[in-house]
Amino acid sequence: MPVINLQPYSSPRYFLILLLGLLPIMIGLYHGKRFRVYETIFSLVFLVLTFGGDHWQQGVALIIYIAYQFILTLAYVHYRKTRNQTGVFVGAVLLAILPLTVVKFTPFLAGGKITLGFLGISYLTFKTVQVVMEVRDGTIKDFDWKLYLHFLLFFPTISSGPIDRYRRFKKDYETIPDRSAYLEDLEKAVHYLFLGFFYKFILGYLFGTLWLPSLQHWALMQRHAFGGLGLSWALLGYMYDYSMYLFFDFAGYSLFAIAISYFMGIKTPPNFNKPFAAGNIKEFWNRWHMTLSFWFRDFIFMRFTFWFMKKRWIKNRIRISQIAYLVNFLIMGFWHGLTWYYIVYGLFHACAIIINDIWLRYKKKHQAQIPSNKFTKGFSVFLTFNVVCFSFLIFSGILDKLWFM
Amino acid sequence: MKAGKQLWRTFGPVLVAVIAALALFATPWRGLKINSQTLKEATVSLSTNVYRGEKIKDVALNDNYVPFIGSSELSRMDAMHPSVLAAKYKRGYQTLLLGGPGSQSLNHYFTIQEMSAQLRNKKVVYVISPQWFTPKGQRPDAFGYYYSALQATDWLLQAKNTKADRYAAQRLLAMPSGTSSLLIENATKKIAAGRRLSAVEKLMLTQKQVILKNEDALFSTLDLDNNWEHIKQETKKLPATDNERLLNQVAVKQAQQETTNNEFNIKDSFFKKELRGGRRLPRLKDSQVRFDYRRSPEYADFQLVLQQLAALNCQVEFVLPPINQRWVDYTGLNMTMWRQTTKKIKQQLLNQGFTNIDDLSEDGNQAYYMEDTIHIGWRGWLRMDQSVRPFLTETQAQPDYQISDYYLSPAWQQKIVK
């Protein structure tokens, strides 16, 4: 019995099968129709291909997870129609996060021997929590359970985002673009697809497959350098190379997901917007992994800030935003995984953004004295780039190998 | 029609790209012709591209190249290195160097079977390193470095239900790289279990093979290490005539010039870099007392190589290199163990009809036989050349091999030959 399993966006074969499967959907949309039944079957087939075969345990985990979230959300929607207690809301959010928490903690507690969960559980959790929150806000009123399932299981983005929003998805799904608009979407889709190929399979290959292993090798060979800190030129090279690899690999992946969504008439939001051209760290987060950082902004940072202001625990707005940044990035660190370097990565970015805020306020006050020209702008881009690359060096985990293994 | 035009503008280039990619990779073609200069560079480049690939090896073997299979000693390219001697004198053969640090019998097995058609009835020089025969044998990460999916598909498509093939399949599955492709992994599992591949699997493997061969033909000559320039420089140091006495003088002179900073007769640059100019020495004192090469899965991996070479009716010269005696004295390597190791290897060879063995394992105290701790160099290369040159330039008797699967067994792997 041959085992069938296709990892998303990993091989030419995957893309060929995918595009063939998409063809009826595209023809339908071209003629102004959405073949909902076909689309559902097609999505299910691809979910089976991703989570079937020797990954079947993941498939089972996915089904249990979806059933759990589905019941939880339906129950909360039902409750919210008549009542609105904060305690119940907090309980619902905690329950929605519970599976992810369990999955992230198990390998830590079991010494890495047991891994639960499935590819993309972190991304699905963003979607479910977001819906619970918006139901509480009252911005999601007419909850359609079929559409909710479709939204959660939308296969182009299921494994690694971009993280879409329920209301936005609903609008795209229900309105079929007219022919000329759809033709434009197709043109964009092809452009994104090929840009993705260039990013992931050419640049990502150069940085990740060709150069990264030898840079890592050299860097680890010099672990005794610099009084045992292992700081070497190779490590510096690794830092830049890893940063490039991370960007092109992930941005390429996101572009694939967006391209496939566009083919299906869904305008999944972009994830990257020239992040390394950012002039400060705050701007960087508006350009890097955008759907994630906007999610954190809307559902953690903003809510935390409002909550603090409402409760009047701290009066100083600046203090509040600083604490909010810390909480925000700390949670993001934990979300990446329970290792010291992810958490330090989060803290590092929190500190960077707090310092950046202090600087921006200082700059505003002393506008007259501080020069602003081409050179200072270039310098700020350079500085931001290096700060970011350094944070990715932490994120990469090589320091863990260098110092503790 | 406006919409149709726009559709074509969007998807036309995609179609062209897909067709071009299919034409380039998925149709069987021979790739670009390899010119003799590229061949010269590639065969001595020691690049993994060449080792893992197929095209260059095939072209070289159809020319007058002889595979010199080994490991890290092949990169010790002083003036007496086999490639320099072959380049300098008209001996009728050139060297195809296969192997590098960490490549051992299992990799060699896959790379040899990859060139089966071209290697049949030909001559091979095989430098054995006793250092391969550690208790755990082949290191998985090093195997992965020299492994290629092309080797695996070539092998799978000709694998039969023999003890050797089943054993090779099990070994491949024990390496992480052997399970990196689902198609290859499943097919290997079948071979390991003694089952046949299905027609669909064969078809998919053949298709994969076509793509991999095209990739190999297109890309394996890119980014080669340029040892050829270095070899050309080294040939200038050699005497005009191919004369043992004159060569020996040059070897001694070169060795003397290059071993000045240590008492081990180790090449200066090695001592400076690898031994930190002596700073690492204290840690290495008596560090090899417990080294044991007598029991190892490597003996069975080596057997795979032997049965493959026998099946191809190759004439093989095996070289058992020496080990730097001064270094042995310092690190405390057990010479009884060393002798039992070489004895066991020779027994495995001789009992199966591999009679061309150049055993230098006792020559570690000869001056300038070793370039560093365990790697042959200078006069050692010359000493080896005394058997290699006649072996390659004169007609050899037809070999008569009697291959026994006993040498694949755990019993043999763990046996100590006294």
Side-chain angles (χ1 to χ4, degrees):
Chain A
M1 174 65 193
V3 194
I4 300 170
N5 180 275
L6 282 176
Q7 284 312 290
Y9 313 124
S10 59
S11 67
R13 196 148 50 108
Y14 183 87
F15 284 98
L16 277 180
I17 298 172
L18 185 61
L19 289 177
L20 281 179
L22 281 172
L23 214 52
I25 299 176
M26 288 157 69
I27 293 169
L29 286 171
Y30 183 75
H31 292 284
K33 289 190 190 73
R34 193 178 273 286
F35 300 137
R36 296 194 173 201
V37 179
Y38 176 81
E39 217 170 281
T40 308
I41 294 169
F42 168 72
S43 296
L44 286 176
V45 167
F46 266 84
L47 287 173
V48 169
L49 284 177
T50 310
F51 295 106
D54 57 352
H55 290 227
W56 63 271
Q57 296 97 331
Q58 289 197 20
V60 173
L62 173 72
I63 292 168
I64 296 172
Y65 177 88
I66 293 289
Y68 171 88
Q69 295 288 3
F70 185 67
I71 292 166
L72 174 69
T73 311
L74 271 192
Y76 187 69
V77 169
H78 184 73
Y79 164 84
R80 181 65 182 80
K81 273 178 190 154
T82 49
R83 302 173 65 189
N84 185 16
Q85 272 190 349
T86 307
V88 176
F89 163 68
V90 172
V93 170
L94 286 178
L95 281 175
I97 301 169
L98 183 70
L100 181 67
T101 318
V102 171
V103 165
K104 292 272 174 185
F105 269 91
T106 343
F108 184 70
L109 296 176
K113 279 176 201 129
I114 309 167
T115 41
L116 296 166
F118 52 87
L119 187 68
I121 182 168
S122 350
Y123 290 90
L124 276 180
T125 305
F126 285 121
K127 290 183 171 179
T128 57
V129 171
Q130 168 218 138
V131 168
V132 170
M133 288 195 172
E134 294 201 336
V135 168
R136 150 96 169 181
D137 294 349
T139 43
I140 294 178
K141 285 203 180 73
D142 44 347
F143 183 77
D144 175 350
W145 66 269
K146 271 193 263 178
L147 191 70
Y148 178 67
L149 281 182
H150 207 96
F151 167 66
L152 284 187
L153 291 172
F154 187 59
F155 87 89
T157 60
I158 196 165
S159 54
S160 305
I163 306 153
D164 206 352
R165 304 287 173 91
Y166 176 77
R167 284 180 290 153
R168 212 209 56 75
F169 180 83
K170 181 177 150 82
K171 199 180 98 243
D172 278 1
Y173 191 73
E174 284 169 353
T175 41
I176 294 159
D178 65 41
R179 184 168 288 181
S180 69
Y182 184 61
L183 282 171
E184 271 173 36
D185 287 355
L186 287 181
E187 210 172 314
K188 277 187 194 146
V190 168
H191 174 73
Y192 291 149
L193 188 64
F194 277 74
L195 193 62
F197 286 146
F198 181 62
Y199 276 14
K200 190 170 163 70
F201 295 130
I202 295 181
L203 295 176
Y205 176 81
L206 282 180
F207 288 114
T209 310
L210 276 189
W211 298 331
L212 200 64
S214 34
L215 280 168
Q216 167 165 345
H217 183 70
W218 292 337
L220 291 179
M221 292 291 275
Q222 298 178 53
R223 61 172 76 239
H224 301 296
F226 220 83
L229 281 177
L231 305 183
S232 61
W233 289 112
L235 190 68
L236 191 72
Y238 180 89
M239 176 176 98
Y240 291 119
D241 187 76
Y242 179 82
S243 304
M244 289 301 124
Y245 161 68
L246 192 67
F247 171 66
F248 286 115
D249 187 75
F250 193 17
Y253 201 101
S254 295
L255 283 168
F256 294 149
I258 295 166
I260 303 306
S261 308
Y262 269 65
F263 281 129
M264 299 170 78
I266 303 284
K267 291 183 181 118
T268 294
N271 235 359
F272 295 91
N273 174 26
K274 304 193 191 95
F276 297 133
N280 64 46
I281 206 78
K282 205 177 209 166
E283 198 193 333
F284 170 78
W285 280 107
N286 287 333
R287 291 160 168 268
W288 174 270
H289 204 176
M290 290 146 73
T291 58
L292 177 84
S293 60
F294 294 164
W295 192 96
F296 268 87
R297 179 196 65 197
D298 295 349
F299 296 105
I300 296 193
F301 182 83
M302 301 289 261
R303 279 165 205 262
F304 184 86
T305 313
F306 283 137
W307 182 50
F308 249 61
M309 292 207 300
K310 214 171 98 188
K311 297 279 176 190
R312 293 175 180 278
W313 285 327
I314 297 175
K315 301 268 159 50
N316 185 338
R317 280 180 172 233
I318 294 167
R319 265 322 145 253
I320 292 177
S321 80
Q322 286 172 345
I323 296 169
Y325 278 131
L326 265 175
V327 169
N328 190 67
F329 280 101
L330 206 57
I331 292 175
M332 197 190 274
F334 275 103
W335 171 75
H336 278 297
L338 272 180
T339 60
W340 70 265
Y341 46 89
Y342 290 145
I343 294 158
V344 170
Y345 166 78
L347 286 174
F348 179 85
H349 270 287
C351 293
I353 214 162
I354 289 169
I355 293 168
N356 179 51
D357 257 10
I358 295 173
W359 163 248
L360 288 181
R361 276 194 305 278
Y362 178 84
K363 204 168 98 169
K364 214 172 177 184
K365 266 192 213 159
H366 302 83
Q367 256 169 349
Q369 293 98 310
I370 297 169
S372 174
N373 51 38
K374 256 189 199 161
F375 173 77
T376 59
K377 292 223 166 74
F379 177 74
S380 64
V381 170
F382 175 79
L383 186 67
T384 309
F385 173 70
N386 281 283
V387 167
V388 165
C389 287
F390 183 73
S391 78
F392 290 154
L393 181 72
I394 301 171
F395 182 82
S396 76
I398 194 176
L399 297 178
D400 193 44
K401 286 186 193 129
L402 208 55
W403 294 343
F404 305 116
M405 279 183 192
Chain B
M1 230 177 96
K2 205 174 163 285
K5 208 172 167 187
Q6 199 175 347
L7 268 180
W8 172 246
R9 213 183 61 193
T10 305
F11 290 104
V14 179
L15 227 69
V16 172
V18 169
I19 290 167
L22 283 177
L24 196 58
F25 289 109
T27 52
W29 67 301
R30 291 198 180 82
L32 307 166
K33 201 173 168 344
I34 292 175
N35 64 39
S36 67
Q37 183 59 28
T38 309
L39 194 60
K40 272 180 190 162
E41 287 169 14
T43 48
V44 295
S45 70
L46 291 169
S47 293
T48 43
N49 285 359
V50 176
Y51 186 89
R52 295 186 290 216
E54 198 173 289
K55 172 106 175 172
I56 287 171
K57 286 189 279 191
D58 289 354
V59 174
L61 288 173
N62 285 334
D63 206 339
N64 64 347
Y65 283 80
V66 176
F68 277 62
I69 303 173
S71 48
S72 40
E73 71 283 333
L74 296 178
S75 64
R76 271 44 183 190
M77 292 177 176
D78 58 55
M80 313 298 142
H81 186 277
S83 303
V84 182
L85 295 176
K88 174 81 178 180
Y89 305 114
K90 292 200 166 46
R91 291 177 166 189
Y93 70 87
Q94 293 296 324
T95 60
L96 166 60
L97 303 182
L98 295 173
S103 69
Q104 300 182 191
S105 308
L106 193 61
N107 284 121
H108 292 332
Y109 167 69
F110 284 104
T111 210
I112 287 171
Q113 59 84 30
E114 200 178 26
M115 41 186 185
S116 289
Q118 281 73 21
L119 206 56
R120 193 170 291 281
N121 303 325
K122 295 246 173 81
K123 288 176 180 169
V124 174
V125 177
Y126 196 99
V127 185
I128 301 167
S129 289
Q131 290 82 6
W132 296 342
F133 295 81
T134 56
K136 285 188 174 164
Q138 177 69 55
R139 268 178 39 212
D141 56 333
F143 177 83
Y145 189 67
Y146 292 99
Y147 160 90
S148 74
L150 180 55
Q151 291 172 349
T153 38
D154 283 354
W155 177 77
L156 283 167
L157 285 168
Q158 58 77 52
K160 297 183 184 60
N161 187 14
T162 61
K163 184 127 199 279
D165 281 354
R166 289 196 301 271
Y167 174 77
Q170 283 161 11
R171 291 291 286 157
L172 187 54
L173 289 171
M175 304 291 158
S177 40
T179 55
S180 58
S181 144
L182 209 60
L183 174 65
I184 291 175
E185 184 189 345
N186 287 329
T188 312
K189 276 183 182 158
K190 276 194 170 179
I191 301 293
R195 284 156 56 209
R196 293 162 69 98
L197 302 183
S198 69
V200 177
E201 276 169 320
K202 280 192 178 165
L203 188 75
M204 283 169 80
L205 282 168
T206 313
Q207 193 51 41
K208 196 180 176 83
Q209 192 187 33
V210 169
I211 294 173
L212 292 170
K213 276 190 182 188
N214 284 334
E215 277 183 13
D216 173 50
L218 285 168
F219 303 127
S220 67
T221 52
L222 300 179
D223 196 25
L224 295 172
D225 282 345
N226 197 352
N227 292 324
W228 177 245
E229 278 307 310
H230 172 76
I231 284 172
K232 275 204 307 202
Q233 289 305 316
E234 291 295 312
T235 58
K236 291 177 186 162
K237 298 177 183 165
L238 294 179
T241 51
D242 193 353
N243 175 294
E244 263 176 45
R245 196 178 51 82
L246 293 174
L247 280 167
N248 191 48
Q249 284 172 3
V250 176
V252 171
K253 205 175 126 210
Q254 190 175 15
Q256 276 172 345
Q257 281 169 357
E258 291 180 38
T259 53
T260 58
N261 66 0
N262 64 86
E263 70 268 36
F264 299 102
N265 270 1
I266 287 173
K267 194 178 177 182
D268 291 345
S269 54
F270 183 93
F271 190 76
K272 209 172 145 195
K273 191 156 171 269
E274 304 296 324
L275 299 170
R276 302 269 185 280
R279 269 183 291 137
R280 280 181 70 180
L281 281 177
R283 247 192 299 161
L284 294 167
K285 174 85 182 151
D286 291 329
S287 61
Q288 302 190 354
V289 174
R290 286 170 187 279
F291 278 24
D292 193 344
Y293 306 137
R294 293 170 300 179
R295 285 168 293 197
S296 171
E298 187 70 20
Y299 287 97
D301 293 349
F302 184 53
Q303 180 62 18
L304 286 176
V305 171
L306 296 185
Q307 63 87 27
Q308 184 70 20
L309 289 168
L312 296 173
N313 194 39
C314 287
Q315 297 172 349
V316 199
E317 160 107 358
F318 289 95
V319 180
L320 281 165
I323 183 162
N324 188 329
Q325 189 61 48
R326 297 181 193 191
W327 188 248
V328 167
D329 294 341
Y330 190 77
T331 56
L333 189 80
N334 179 348
M335 279 310 275
T336 312
M337 179 281 296
W338 176 260
R339 291 191 180 105
Q340 288 173 351
T341 302
T342 42
K343 194 170 176 193
K344 183 171 173 178
I345 295 171
K346 279 166 83 176
Q347 186 176 329
Q348 188 170 349
L349 289 170
L350 290 168
N351 285 356
Q352 300 182 93
F354 293 93
T355 51
N356 289 314
I357 304 169
D358 192 4
D359 181 4
L360 309 178
S361 63
E362 291 290 342
D363 294 340
N365 51 8
Q366 298 278 349
Y368 307 126
Y369 265 36
M370 308 302 292
E371 193 180 290
D372 47 63
T373 54
I374 58 170
H375 298 111
I376 200 165
W378 304 304
R379 290 189 65 228
W381 283 131
L382 276 189
R383 169 65 187 76
M384 179 179 141
D385 189 53
Q386 283 173 15
S387 68
V388 167
R389 183 174 47 170
F391 171 75
L392 293 179
T393 51
E394 293 162 16
T395 312
Q396 302 296 316
Q398 261 308 307
D400 178 22
Y401 297 125
Q402 305 93 31
I403 292 300
S404 164
D405 285 342
Y406 165 66
Y407 297 104
L408 292 170
S409 68
W412 173 251
Q413 291 171 36
Q414 296 305 320
K415 187 175 175 176
I416 292 184
V417 175
K418 283 186 178 150

